[in-house]
Short mmCIF file of all heavy atoms in Angstrom, two decimals:
data_model
loop_
_atom_site.label_atom_id
_atom_site.label_comp_id
_atom_site.label_asym_id
_atom_site.label_seq_id
_atom_site.Cartn_x
_atom_site.Cartn_y
_atom_site.Cartn_z
N MET A 795 0.86 -1.16 0.00
CA MET A 795 0.00 0.00 0.00
C MET A 795 0.91 1.23 0.00
O MET A 795 1.85 1.32 0.77
CB MET A 795 -0.87 -0.03 1.26
CG MET A 795 -1.78 1.14 1.36
SD MET A 795 -2.85 1.22 2.82
CE MET A 795 -3.22 -0.40 3.26
N SER A 796 0.59 2.17 -0.85
CA SER A 796 1.42 3.37 -0.91
C SER A 796 1.15 4.25 0.31
O SER A 796 0.12 4.16 0.97
CB SER A 796 1.16 4.15 -2.20
OG SER A 796 0.05 4.97 -2.06
N THR A 797 2.11 5.11 0.58
CA THR A 797 2.01 6.00 1.74
C THR A 797 0.80 6.92 1.63
O THR A 797 0.09 7.16 2.61
CB THR A 797 3.28 6.83 1.86
OG1 THR A 797 4.39 5.94 1.96
CG2 THR A 797 3.26 7.71 3.07
N ASP A 798 0.55 7.43 0.43
CA ASP A 798 -0.56 8.37 0.26
C ASP A 798 -1.90 7.70 0.55
O ASP A 798 -2.77 8.30 1.18
CB ASP A 798 -0.57 8.93 -1.17
CG ASP A 798 0.67 9.76 -1.46
OD1 ASP A 798 1.25 10.30 -0.49
OD2 ASP A 798 1.05 9.87 -2.64
N VAL A 799 -2.06 6.47 0.10
CA VAL A 799 -3.33 5.77 0.33
C VAL A 799 -3.53 5.51 1.82
O VAL A 799 -4.64 5.70 2.35
CB VAL A 799 -3.35 4.44 -0.46
CG1 VAL A 799 -4.58 3.62 -0.12
CG2 VAL A 799 -3.30 4.71 -1.95
N ALA A 800 -2.49 5.11 2.51
CA ALA A 800 -2.60 4.85 3.95
C ALA A 800 -2.97 6.12 4.71
O ALA A 800 -3.81 6.08 5.62
CB ALA A 800 -1.29 4.27 4.48
N VAL A 801 -2.36 7.23 4.35
CA VAL A 801 -2.64 8.49 5.03
C VAL A 801 -4.08 8.92 4.78
O VAL A 801 -4.79 9.33 5.71
CB VAL A 801 -1.64 9.58 4.58
CG1 VAL A 801 -2.07 10.95 5.06
CG2 VAL A 801 -0.25 9.25 5.09
N VAL A 802 -4.54 8.80 3.56
CA VAL A 802 -5.92 9.18 3.24
C VAL A 802 -6.90 8.28 3.99
O VAL A 802 -7.91 8.76 4.52
CB VAL A 802 -6.16 9.12 1.71
CG1 VAL A 802 -7.63 9.22 1.38
CG2 VAL A 802 -5.39 10.23 1.02
N LEU A 803 -6.61 6.99 4.06
CA LEU A 803 -7.50 6.08 4.78
C LEU A 803 -7.53 6.39 6.28
O LEU A 803 -8.60 6.33 6.90
CB LEU A 803 -7.07 4.63 4.55
CG LEU A 803 -7.35 4.08 3.16
CD1 LEU A 803 -6.79 2.67 3.04
CD2 LEU A 803 -8.83 4.09 2.84
N LEU A 804 -6.39 6.73 6.84
CA LEU A 804 -6.37 7.07 8.27
C LEU A 804 -7.12 8.37 8.55
O LEU A 804 -7.84 8.47 9.54
CB LEU A 804 -4.93 7.16 8.77
CG LEU A 804 -4.25 5.82 9.05
CD1 LEU A 804 -2.77 6.04 9.33
CD2 LEU A 804 -4.91 5.11 10.20
N PHE A 805 -6.97 9.36 7.68
CA PHE A 805 -7.72 10.60 7.87
C PHE A 805 -9.22 10.37 7.68
O PHE A 805 -10.05 10.96 8.37
CB PHE A 805 -7.23 11.70 6.92
CG PHE A 805 -6.04 12.46 7.45
CD1 PHE A 805 -4.90 12.62 6.68
CD2 PHE A 805 -6.05 13.03 8.70
CE1 PHE A 805 -3.80 13.31 7.15
CE2 PHE A 805 -4.97 13.73 9.20
CZ PHE A 805 -3.84 13.87 8.41
N THR A 806 -9.58 9.50 6.74
CA THR A 806 -10.99 9.17 6.54
C THR A 806 -11.55 8.47 7.76
O THR A 806 -12.67 8.78 8.22
CB THR A 806 -11.15 8.27 5.30
OG1 THR A 806 -10.59 8.93 4.17
CG2 THR A 806 -12.59 7.93 5.03
N LEU A 807 -10.80 7.53 8.31
CA LEU A 807 -11.22 6.85 9.53
C LEU A 807 -11.40 7.84 10.67
O LEU A 807 -12.39 7.78 11.42
CB LEU A 807 -10.20 5.77 9.90
CG LEU A 807 -10.45 5.03 11.21
CD1 LEU A 807 -11.75 4.26 11.16
CD2 LEU A 807 -9.29 4.13 11.52
N ALA A 808 -10.47 8.76 10.80
CA ALA A 808 -10.57 9.78 11.85
C ALA A 808 -11.84 10.61 11.67
O ALA A 808 -12.52 10.93 12.65
CB ALA A 808 -9.33 10.66 11.86
N GLY A 809 -12.15 10.96 10.44
CA GLY A 809 -13.36 11.74 10.18
C GLY A 809 -14.63 10.99 10.56
O GLY A 809 -15.55 11.56 11.17
N PHE A 810 -14.70 9.70 10.20
CA PHE A 810 -15.86 8.90 10.58
C PHE A 810 -15.97 8.78 12.10
O PHE A 810 -17.07 8.85 12.66
CB PHE A 810 -15.79 7.51 9.95
CG PHE A 810 -16.30 7.47 8.54
CD1 PHE A 810 -15.44 7.18 7.50
CD2 PHE A 810 -17.62 7.71 8.25
CE1 PHE A 810 -15.89 7.13 6.20
CE2 PHE A 810 -18.10 7.67 6.95
CZ PHE A 810 -17.22 7.39 5.92
N LEU A 811 -14.85 8.60 12.75
CA LEU A 811 -14.88 8.47 14.21
C LEU A 811 -15.30 9.76 14.88
O LEU A 811 -16.06 9.75 15.86
CB LEU A 811 -13.51 8.02 14.72
CG LEU A 811 -13.12 6.58 14.38
CD1 LEU A 811 -11.66 6.35 14.75
CD2 LEU A 811 -14.02 5.60 15.08
N ILE A 812 -14.87 10.89 14.37
CA ILE A 812 -15.29 12.18 14.93
C ILE A 812 -16.78 12.40 14.71
O ILE A 812 -17.48 12.89 15.59
CB ILE A 812 -14.45 13.32 14.34
CG1 ILE A 812 -13.07 13.28 14.94
CG2 ILE A 812 -15.10 14.68 14.58
CD1 ILE A 812 -12.14 14.36 14.52
N GLY A 813 -17.26 12.02 13.53
CA GLY A 813 -18.69 12.12 13.28
C GLY A 813 -19.50 11.25 14.22
O GLY A 813 -20.54 11.68 14.73
N GLY A 814 -19.03 10.05 14.49
CA GLY A 814 -19.72 9.18 15.44
C GLY A 814 -19.67 9.72 16.85
O GLY A 814 -20.65 9.65 17.59
N ALA A 815 -18.54 10.29 17.22
CA ALA A 815 -18.42 10.87 18.56
C ALA A 815 -19.37 12.05 18.71
O ALA A 815 -20.01 12.20 19.76
CB ALA A 815 -16.97 11.31 18.80
N TYR A 816 -19.47 12.88 17.69
CA TYR A 816 -20.37 14.03 17.75
C TYR A 816 -21.83 13.58 17.85
O TYR A 816 -22.62 14.15 18.60
CB TYR A 816 -20.15 14.89 16.51
CG TYR A 816 -21.06 16.09 16.45
CD1 TYR A 816 -20.82 17.20 17.24
CD2 TYR A 816 -22.16 16.10 15.61
CE1 TYR A 816 -21.66 18.30 17.20
CE2 TYR A 816 -23.01 17.19 15.55
CZ TYR A 816 -22.75 18.29 16.35
OH TYR A 816 -23.58 19.36 16.30
N THR A 817 -22.16 12.54 17.08
CA THR A 817 -23.54 12.05 17.08
C THR A 817 -23.91 11.44 18.43
O THR A 817 -25.04 11.61 18.90
CB THR A 817 -23.71 11.00 15.97
OG1 THR A 817 -23.38 11.60 14.73
CG2 THR A 817 -25.12 10.48 15.91
N LEU A 818 -23.00 10.73 19.05
CA LEU A 818 -23.30 10.05 20.30
C LEU A 818 -23.14 10.91 21.55
O LEU A 818 -23.42 10.43 22.65
CB LEU A 818 -22.40 8.81 20.43
CG LEU A 818 -22.71 7.65 19.51
CD1 LEU A 818 -21.64 6.58 19.63
CD2 LEU A 818 -24.07 7.07 19.84
N TRP A 819 -22.69 12.13 21.41
CA TRP A 819 -22.34 12.94 22.58
C TRP A 819 -23.50 13.09 23.57
O TRP A 819 -23.32 12.99 24.77
CB TRP A 819 -21.84 14.32 22.14
CG TRP A 819 -21.42 15.16 23.29
CD1 TRP A 819 -22.07 16.25 23.78
CD2 TRP A 819 -20.27 14.98 24.12
NE1 TRP A 819 -21.37 16.76 24.85
CE2 TRP A 819 -20.26 15.99 25.09
CE3 TRP A 819 -19.24 14.04 24.13
CZ2 TRP A 819 -19.28 16.10 26.05
CZ3 TRP A 819 -18.26 14.15 25.09
CH2 TRP A 819 -18.28 15.17 26.03
N LYS A 820 -24.72 13.30 23.10
CA LYS A 820 -25.84 13.54 24.01
C LYS A 820 -26.39 12.25 24.61
O LYS A 820 -26.96 12.27 25.70
CB LYS A 820 -26.96 14.27 23.26
CG LYS A 820 -26.56 15.64 22.82
CD LYS A 820 -27.60 16.65 23.18
CE LYS A 820 -27.06 17.99 22.75
NZ LYS A 820 -27.73 19.06 23.37
N THR A 821 -26.25 11.13 23.91
CA THR A 821 -26.89 9.90 24.38
C THR A 821 -25.93 8.95 25.10
O THR A 821 -26.34 8.30 26.06
CB THR A 821 -27.55 9.14 23.21
OG1 THR A 821 -26.55 8.86 22.23
CG2 THR A 821 -28.66 9.96 22.59
N ALA A 822 -24.71 8.85 24.63
CA ALA A 822 -23.76 7.89 25.22
C ALA A 822 -22.39 8.57 25.32
O ALA A 822 -21.52 8.37 24.50
CB ALA A 822 -23.69 6.64 24.37
N ARG A 823 -22.23 9.37 26.35
CA ARG A 823 -21.01 10.16 26.49
C ARG A 823 -19.74 9.32 26.63
O ARG A 823 -18.73 9.65 26.01
CB ARG A 823 -21.14 11.10 27.67
CG ARG A 823 -20.71 12.48 27.28
CD ARG A 823 -21.11 13.47 28.31
NE ARG A 823 -22.21 14.24 27.74
CZ ARG A 823 -22.44 15.47 28.03
NH1 ARG A 823 -21.70 16.10 28.90
NH2 ARG A 823 -23.43 16.11 27.47
N PRO A 824 -19.72 8.24 27.39
CA PRO A 824 -18.48 7.45 27.49
C PRO A 824 -18.05 6.86 26.14
O PRO A 824 -16.86 6.84 25.80
CB PRO A 824 -18.80 6.35 28.49
CG PRO A 824 -19.92 6.90 29.30
CD PRO A 824 -20.71 7.77 28.37
N VAL A 825 -19.00 6.38 25.37
CA VAL A 825 -18.69 5.84 24.04
C VAL A 825 -18.18 6.95 23.13
O VAL A 825 -17.24 6.77 22.35
CB VAL A 825 -19.93 5.15 23.42
CG1 VAL A 825 -19.64 4.67 22.01
CG2 VAL A 825 -20.38 4.00 24.29
N SER A 826 -18.79 8.11 23.25
CA SER A 826 -18.38 9.26 22.46
C SER A 826 -16.95 9.67 22.77
O SER A 826 -16.17 9.99 21.86
CB SER A 826 -19.34 10.42 22.71
OG SER A 826 -18.93 11.57 22.03
N ILE A 827 -16.59 9.66 24.03
CA ILE A 827 -15.22 10.00 24.42
C ILE A 827 -14.24 8.96 23.87
O ILE A 827 -13.17 9.30 23.38
CB ILE A 827 -15.13 10.13 25.95
CG1 ILE A 827 -15.91 11.35 26.41
CG2 ILE A 827 -13.68 10.20 26.42
CD1 ILE A 827 -16.11 11.45 27.90
N GLY A 828 -14.63 7.69 23.93
CA GLY A 828 -13.79 6.64 23.37
C GLY A 828 -13.58 6.80 21.87
O GLY A 828 -12.46 6.63 21.36
N LEU A 829 -14.64 7.14 21.16
CA LEU A 829 -14.52 7.37 19.72
C LEU A 829 -13.64 8.59 19.43
O LEU A 829 -12.87 8.59 18.47
CB LEU A 829 -15.90 7.57 19.09
CG LEU A 829 -16.75 6.32 18.93
CD1 LEU A 829 -18.13 6.70 18.39
CD2 LEU A 829 -16.09 5.31 18.03
N GLY A 830 -13.77 9.61 20.26
CA GLY A 830 -12.93 10.80 20.08
C GLY A 830 -11.46 10.48 20.27
O GLY A 830 -10.60 10.95 19.52
N ILE A 831 -11.15 9.65 21.27
CA ILE A 831 -9.77 9.26 21.50
C ILE A 831 -9.23 8.45 20.32
O ILE A 831 -8.11 8.66 19.86
CB ILE A 831 -9.66 8.48 22.82
CG1 ILE A 831 -9.91 9.41 24.00
CG2 ILE A 831 -8.30 7.79 22.96
CD1 ILE A 831 -10.08 8.71 25.32
N CYS A 832 -10.06 7.54 19.82
CA CYS A 832 -9.65 6.75 18.65
C CYS A 832 -9.44 7.64 17.43
O CYS A 832 -8.53 7.40 16.62
CB CYS A 832 -10.68 5.67 18.36
SG CYS A 832 -10.72 4.36 19.59
N ALA A 833 -10.26 8.66 17.28
CA ALA A 833 -10.11 9.59 16.15
C ALA A 833 -8.80 10.36 16.25
O ALA A 833 -8.10 10.54 15.25
CB ALA A 833 -11.29 10.56 16.11
N VAL A 834 -8.47 10.79 17.45
CA VAL A 834 -7.20 11.50 17.65
C VAL A 834 -6.02 10.58 17.34
O VAL A 834 -5.05 10.99 16.69
CB VAL A 834 -7.12 12.06 19.08
CG1 VAL A 834 -5.72 12.54 19.40
CG2 VAL A 834 -8.13 13.17 19.26
N LEU A 835 -6.09 9.34 17.75
CA LEU A 835 -5.02 8.39 17.47
C LEU A 835 -4.89 8.12 15.97
O LEU A 835 -3.77 8.01 15.45
CB LEU A 835 -5.27 7.07 18.22
CG LEU A 835 -5.08 7.13 19.73
CD1 LEU A 835 -5.48 5.81 20.37
CD2 LEU A 835 -3.64 7.47 20.07
N ALA A 836 -6.02 8.01 15.26
CA ALA A 836 -5.97 7.78 13.82
C ALA A 836 -5.37 8.98 13.10
O ALA A 836 -4.55 8.83 12.19
CB ALA A 836 -7.37 7.48 13.29
N ALA A 837 -5.77 10.19 13.51
CA ALA A 837 -5.21 11.39 12.88
C ALA A 837 -3.73 11.52 13.19
O ALA A 837 -2.93 11.89 12.32
CB ALA A 837 -5.97 12.62 13.36
N ALA A 838 -3.33 11.22 14.42
CA ALA A 838 -1.91 11.28 14.78
C ALA A 838 -1.12 10.25 14.00
O ALA A 838 0.02 10.53 13.55
CB ALA A 838 -1.74 11.06 16.27
N GLY A 839 -1.67 9.08 13.81
CA GLY A 839 -1.00 8.06 13.00
C GLY A 839 -0.82 8.50 11.57
O GLY A 839 0.22 8.25 10.95
N ALA A 840 -1.82 9.19 11.02
CA ALA A 840 -1.72 9.69 9.64
C ALA A 840 -0.63 10.74 9.53
O ALA A 840 0.16 10.73 8.59
CB ALA A 840 -3.06 10.25 9.19
N VAL A 841 -0.57 11.63 10.50
CA VAL A 841 0.45 12.68 10.47
C VAL A 841 1.84 12.08 10.62
O VAL A 841 2.77 12.45 9.90
CB VAL A 841 0.17 13.73 11.57
CG1 VAL A 841 1.34 14.67 11.74
CG2 VAL A 841 -1.10 14.50 11.25
N LEU A 842 1.98 11.12 11.54
CA LEU A 842 3.28 10.49 11.73
C LEU A 842 3.70 9.69 10.50
O LEU A 842 4.88 9.58 10.19
CB LEU A 842 3.26 9.61 12.97
CG LEU A 842 3.21 10.35 14.30
CD1 LEU A 842 3.07 9.37 15.46
CD2 LEU A 842 4.45 11.20 14.47
N TRP A 843 2.72 9.08 9.81
CA TRP A 843 3.02 8.33 8.61
C TRP A 843 3.53 9.23 7.50
O TRP A 843 4.34 8.83 6.67
CB TRP A 843 1.79 7.57 8.14
CG TRP A 843 2.08 6.38 7.28
CD1 TRP A 843 2.90 6.34 6.20
CD2 TRP A 843 1.53 5.07 7.41
NE1 TRP A 843 2.89 5.09 5.65
CE2 TRP A 843 2.06 4.29 6.39
CE3 TRP A 843 0.63 4.49 8.29
CZ2 TRP A 843 1.73 2.95 6.22
CZ3 TRP A 843 0.31 3.17 8.11
CH2 TRP A 843 0.85 2.41 7.10
N LEU A 844 3.04 10.46 7.50
CA LEU A 844 3.51 11.42 6.50
C LEU A 844 4.98 11.80 6.71
O LEU A 844 5.70 12.12 5.77
CB LEU A 844 2.67 12.69 6.55
CG LEU A 844 1.36 12.66 5.79
CD1 LEU A 844 0.56 13.92 6.08
CD2 LEU A 844 1.58 12.50 4.32
N LEU A 845 5.40 11.80 7.98
CA LEU A 845 6.78 12.18 8.30
C LEU A 845 7.65 11.02 7.98
O LEU A 845 8.64 10.90 7.56
CB LEU A 845 6.91 12.54 9.77
CG LEU A 845 6.03 13.69 10.24
CD1 LEU A 845 6.20 13.86 11.74
CD2 LEU A 845 6.39 14.98 9.54
#
């Protein structure tokens, strides 16, 4: 897998996770926080992969 494809997939995953966290914020706050943490990790992985 090329570096560009992996970075795009990780940023896409982070976006989906942030959307899920935002959607769940009012109903399931602990799950939302978990999704937010996973989104931050996916975005950080994408940035580190670029370096």
Side-chain angles (χ1 to χ4, degrees):
M795 179 181 328
S796 83
T797 302
D798 296 334
V799 173
V801 169
V802 168
L803 288 176
L804 281 171
F805 275 129
T806 303
L807 176 63
F810 277 114
L811 290 171
I812 286 183
Y816 178 76
T817 301
L818 288 173
W819 182 252
K820 295 228 177 198
T821 58
R823 227 167 253 211
V825 176
S826 176
I827 292 169
L829 286 176
I831 291 169
C832 290
V834 168
L835 289 174
V841 169
L842 289 175
W843 203 311
L844 277 173
L845 301 175

